[in-house]
mmCIF file of all heavy atoms in Angstrom:
data_model
loop_
_atom_site.group_PDB
_atom_site.id
_atom_site.type_symbol
_atom_site.label_atom_id
_atom_site.label_comp_id
_atom_site.label_asym_id
_atom_site.label_seq_id
_atom_site.Cartn_x
_atom_site.Cartn_y
_atom_site.Cartn_z
ATOM 1 N N LEU N 29 -12.936 1.660 2.447
ATOM 2 C CA LEU N 29 -12.553 2.236 1.151
ATOM 3 C C LEU N 29 -11.666 1.290 0.342
ATOM 4 O O LEU N 29 -11.901 1.076 -0.860
ATOM 5 C CB LEU N 29 -11.831 3.571 1.395
ATOM 6 C CG LEU N 29 -11.269 4.267 0.175
ATOM 7 C CD1 LEU N 29 -12.377 4.654 -0.802
ATOM 8 C CD2 LEU N 29 -10.470 5.503 0.584
ATOM 9 N N PHE N 30 -10.655 0.728 0.973
ATOM 10 C CA PHE N 30 -9.728 -0.103 0.193
ATOM 11 C C PHE N 30 -10.332 -1.461 -0.141
ATOM 12 O O PHE N 30 -10.016 -2.029 -1.194
ATOM 13 C CB PHE N 30 -8.383 -0.223 0.905
ATOM 14 C CG PHE N 30 -7.559 1.051 0.856
ATOM 15 C CD1 PHE N 30 -6.371 1.158 1.576
ATOM 16 C CD2 PHE N 30 -7.950 2.142 0.085
ATOM 17 C CE1 PHE N 30 -5.603 2.321 1.524
ATOM 18 C CE2 PHE N 30 -7.191 3.310 0.033
ATOM 19 C CZ PHE N 30 -6.014 3.401 0.760
ATOM 20 N N ILE N 33 -12.147 -0.611 -3.221
ATOM 21 C CA ILE N 33 -11.231 -0.483 -4.363
ATOM 22 C C ILE N 33 -10.809 -1.866 -4.855
ATOM 23 O O ILE N 33 -10.809 -2.142 -6.063
ATOM 24 C CB ILE N 33 -10.029 0.394 -3.973
ATOM 25 C CG1 ILE N 33 -10.458 1.873 -3.953
ATOM 26 C CG2 ILE N 33 -8.842 0.178 -4.925
ATOM 27 C CD1 ILE N 33 -9.383 2.856 -3.533
ATOM 28 N N PHE N 52 -2.095 -0.040 -6.359
ATOM 29 C CA PHE N 52 -2.681 1.033 -7.174
ATOM 30 C C PHE N 52 -2.028 2.354 -6.803
ATOM 31 O O PHE N 52 -1.409 2.490 -5.745
ATOM 32 C CB PHE N 52 -4.201 1.094 -6.953
ATOM 33 C CG PHE N 52 -4.635 1.229 -5.515
ATOM 34 C CD1 PHE N 52 -5.066 2.458 -5.024
ATOM 35 C CD2 PHE N 52 -4.600 0.147 -4.654
ATOM 36 C CE1 PHE N 52 -5.459 2.594 -3.697
ATOM 37 C CE2 PHE N 52 -4.992 0.275 -3.321
ATOM 38 C CZ PHE N 52 -5.414 1.497 -2.846
ATOM 39 N N ARG N 53 -2.176 3.327 -7.701
ATOM 40 C CA ARG N 53 -1.530 4.622 -7.475
ATOM 41 C C ARG N 53 -2.302 5.442 -6.444
ATOM 42 O O ARG N 53 -3.544 5.496 -6.485
ATOM 43 C CB ARG N 53 -1.411 5.403 -8.787
ATOM 44 C CG ARG N 53 -0.550 4.673 -9.779
ATOM 45 C CD ARG N 53 -0.058 5.488 -10.934
ATOM 46 N NE ARG N 53 0.555 4.579 -11.906
ATOM 47 C CZ ARG N 53 1.762 4.051 -11.788
ATOM 48 N NH1 ARG N 53 2.530 4.373 -10.753
ATOM 49 N NH2 ARG N 53 2.231 3.201 -12.685
ATOM 50 N N ASP N 54 -1.557 6.068 -5.540
ATOM 51 C CA ASP N 54 -2.182 6.936 -4.540
ATOM 52 C C ASP N 54 -2.843 8.119 -5.250
ATOM 53 O O ASP N 54 -2.274 8.717 -6.171
ATOM 54 C CB ASP N 54 -1.123 7.432 -3.542
ATOM 55 C CG ASP N 54 -1.748 7.998 -2.280
ATOM 56 O OD1 ASP N 54 -2.405 9.061 -2.364
ATOM 57 O OD2 ASP N 54 -1.582 7.381 -1.206
ATOM 58 N N ILE N 55 -4.034 8.469 -4.810
ATOM 59 C CA ILE N 55 -4.798 9.540 -5.448
ATOM 60 C C ILE N 55 -4.166 10.909 -5.202
ATOM 61 O O ILE N 55 -4.404 11.855 -5.965
ATOM 62 C CB ILE N 55 -6.267 9.499 -4.943
ATOM 63 C CG1 ILE N 55 -7.207 10.132 -5.941
ATOM 64 C CG2 ILE N 55 -6.404 10.135 -3.562
ATOM 65 C CD1 ILE N 55 -8.678 9.845 -5.671
ATOM 66 N N ASN N 56 -3.352 11.005 -4.161
ATOM 67 C CA ASN N 56 -2.706 12.267 -3.802
ATOM 68 C C ASN N 56 -1.199 12.019 -3.634
ATOM 69 O O ASN N 56 -0.676 12.021 -2.513
ATOM 70 C CB ASN N 56 -3.316 12.812 -2.506
ATOM 71 C CG ASN N 56 -2.737 14.142 -2.104
ATOM 72 O OD1 ASN N 56 -2.268 14.913 -2.944
ATOM 73 N ND2 ASN N 56 -2.734 14.421 -0.805
ATOM 74 N N GLN N 58 2.679 11.768 -3.100
ATOM 75 C CA GLN N 58 3.642 12.588 -2.368
ATOM 76 C C GLN N 58 5.045 12.455 -2.938
ATOM 77 O O GLN N 58 6.002 13.004 -2.382
ATOM 78 C CB GLN N 58 3.616 12.220 -0.882
ATOM 79 C CG GLN N 58 2.260 12.499 -0.253
ATOM 80 C CD GLN N 58 2.254 12.281 1.245
ATOM 81 O OE1 GLN N 58 3.225 12.539 1.921
ATOM 82 N NE2 GLN N 58 1.142 11.790 1.762
ATOM 83 N N HIS N 62 4.159 6.910 -6.266
ATOM 84 C CA HIS N 62 3.510 6.689 -4.970
ATOM 85 C C HIS N 62 2.437 5.628 -5.174
ATOM 86 O O HIS N 62 1.346 5.914 -5.677
ATOM 87 C CB HIS N 62 2.917 7.989 -4.429
ATOM 88 C CG HIS N 62 2.405 7.877 -3.016
ATOM 89 N ND1 HIS N 62 2.053 8.979 -2.265
ATOM 90 C CD2 HIS N 62 2.185 6.796 -2.213
ATOM 91 C CE1 HIS N 62 1.646 8.582 -1.060
ATOM 92 N NE2 HIS N 62 1.701 7.260 -1.013
ATOM 93 N N LEU N 64 0.274 2.288 -3.534
ATOM 94 C CA LEU N 64 -0.228 1.633 -2.328
ATOM 95 C C LEU N 64 -0.414 0.150 -2.614
ATOM 96 O O LEU N 64 -0.981 -0.212 -3.645
ATOM 97 C CB LEU N 64 -1.576 2.237 -1.907
ATOM 98 C CG LEU N 64 -1.593 3.740 -1.645
ATOM 99 C CD1 LEU N 64 -3.031 4.223 -1.423
ATOM 100 C CD2 LEU N 64 -0.718 4.095 -0.451
ATOM 101 N N ASN N 110 1.545 3.415 7.919
ATOM 102 C CA ASN N 110 1.093 4.171 9.079
ATOM 103 C C ASN N 110 0.132 3.325 9.907
ATOM 104 O O ASN N 110 -0.721 2.628 9.356
ATOM 105 C CB ASN N 110 0.401 5.460 8.629
ATOM 106 C CG ASN N 110 1.363 6.408 7.937
ATOM 107 O OD1 ASN N 110 2.480 6.618 8.399
ATOM 108 N ND2 ASN N 110 0.944 6.975 6.807
ATOM 109 N N GLY N 116 -1.002 9.074 11.669
ATOM 110 C CA GLY N 116 -1.795 9.702 10.620
ATOM 111 C C GLY N 116 -2.460 8.714 9.681
ATOM 112 O O GLY N 116 -2.778 9.051 8.541
ATOM 113 N N GLN N 117 -2.700 7.495 10.156
ATOM 114 C CA GLN N 117 -3.397 6.530 9.300
ATOM 115 C C GLN N 117 -4.814 7.024 9.049
ATOM 116 O O GLN N 117 -5.563 7.282 10.004
ATOM 117 C CB GLN N 117 -3.434 5.137 9.952
ATOM 118 C CG GLN N 117 -4.084 4.091 9.050
ATOM 119 C CD GLN N 117 -4.137 2.696 9.690
ATOM 120 O OE1 GLN N 117 -3.831 2.528 10.874
ATOM 121 N NE2 GLN N 117 -4.546 1.712 8.906
ATOM 122 N N THR N 118 -5.174 7.165 7.781
ATOM 123 C CA THR N 118 -6.499 7.680 7.437
ATOM 124 C C THR N 118 -7.421 6.598 6.886
ATOM 125 O O THR N 118 -8.643 6.788 6.879
ATOM 126 C CB THR N 118 -6.401 8.823 6.409
ATOM 127 O OG1 THR N 118 -5.724 8.348 5.242
ATOM 128 C CG2 THR N 118 -5.652 10.016 6.989
ATOM 129 N N VAL N 119 -6.852 5.507 6.385
ATOM 130 C CA VAL N 119 -7.673 4.413 5.856
ATOM 131 C C VAL N 119 -7.349 3.151 6.669
ATOM 132 O O VAL N 119 -6.218 2.649 6.607
ATOM 133 C CB VAL N 119 -7.402 4.172 4.361
ATOM 134 C CG1 VAL N 119 -8.293 3.041 3.845
ATOM 135 C CG2 VAL N 119 -7.639 5.442 3.547
ATOM 136 N N HIS N 123 -2.035 -1.054 4.499
ATOM 137 C CA HIS N 123 -1.478 -0.682 3.204
ATOM 138 C C HIS N 123 -0.041 -0.248 3.385
ATOM 139 O O HIS N 123 0.334 0.313 4.409
ATOM 140 C CB HIS N 123 -2.295 0.418 2.520
ATOM 141 C CG HIS N 123 -2.542 1.629 3.363
ATOM 142 N ND1 HIS N 123 -3.496 1.670 4.346
ATOM 143 C CD2 HIS N 123 -1.964 2.862 3.363
ATOM 144 C CE1 HIS N 123 -3.501 2.854 4.918
ATOM 145 N NE2 HIS N 123 -2.566 3.606 4.349
ATOM 146 N N HIS N 125 2.821 2.051 1.580
ATOM 147 C CA HIS N 125 3.148 3.075 0.595
ATOM 148 C C HIS N 125 4.520 2.746 0.006
ATOM 149 O O HIS N 125 5.474 2.503 0.753
ATOM 150 C CB HIS N 125 3.262 4.455 1.262
ATOM 151 C CG HIS N 125 2.030 4.953 1.942
ATOM 152 N ND1 HIS N 125 1.235 5.955 1.417
ATOM 153 C CD2 HIS N 125 1.454 4.612 3.129
ATOM 154 C CE1 HIS N 125 0.234 6.214 2.255
ATOM 155 N NE2 HIS N 125 0.350 5.423 3.299
HETATM 156 P P1 5GP Q 196 -2.653 6.636 5.200
HETATM 157 O O1 5GP Q 196 -2.771 8.098 5.499
HETATM 158 O O2 5GP Q 196 -3.817 5.860 5.805
HETATM 159 O O3 5GP Q 196 -1.331 6.016 5.530
HETATM 160 O O4 5GP Q 196 -2.736 6.498 3.622
HETATM 161 C C1 5GP Q 196 -3.936 6.521 2.929
HETATM 162 C C2 5GP Q 196 -3.600 6.928 1.520
HETATM 163 O O5 5GP Q 196 -4.708 6.622 0.715
HETATM 164 C C3 5GP Q 196 -3.326 8.418 1.365
HETATM 165 O O6 5GP Q 196 -2.008 8.609 0.858
HETATM 166 C C4 5GP Q 196 -4.404 8.884 0.392
HETATM 167 O O7 5GP Q 196 -3.925 9.838 -0.547
HETATM 168 C C5 5GP Q 196 -4.811 7.591 -0.279
HETATM 169 N N1 5GP Q 196 -6.197 7.581 -0.716
HETATM 170 C C6 5GP Q 196 -7.286 7.985 0.005
HETATM 171 N N2 5GP Q 196 -8.409 7.781 -0.696
HETATM 172 C C7 5GP Q 196 -8.023 7.245 -1.896
HETATM 173 C C8 5GP Q 196 -8.754 6.836 -3.060
HETATM 174 O O8 5GP Q 196 -9.980 6.895 -3.132
HETATM 175 N N3 5GP Q 196 -8.024 6.345 -4.092
HETATM 176 C C9 5GP Q 196 -6.659 6.244 -4.048
HETATM 177 N N4 5GP Q 196 -6.038 5.757 -5.135
HETATM 178 N N5 5GP Q 196 -5.944 6.629 -2.963
HETATM 179 C C10 5GP Q 196 -6.616 7.122 -1.904
#
Side-chain angles (χ1 to χ4, degrees):
L29 176 63
F30 287 173
I33 284 178
F52 54 103
R53 298 196 190 282
D54 196 292
I55 204 167
N56 182 27
Q58 298 186 35
H62 188 168
L64 303 172
N110 295 316
Q117 183 180 9
T118 58
V119 181
H123 52 282
H125 299 254

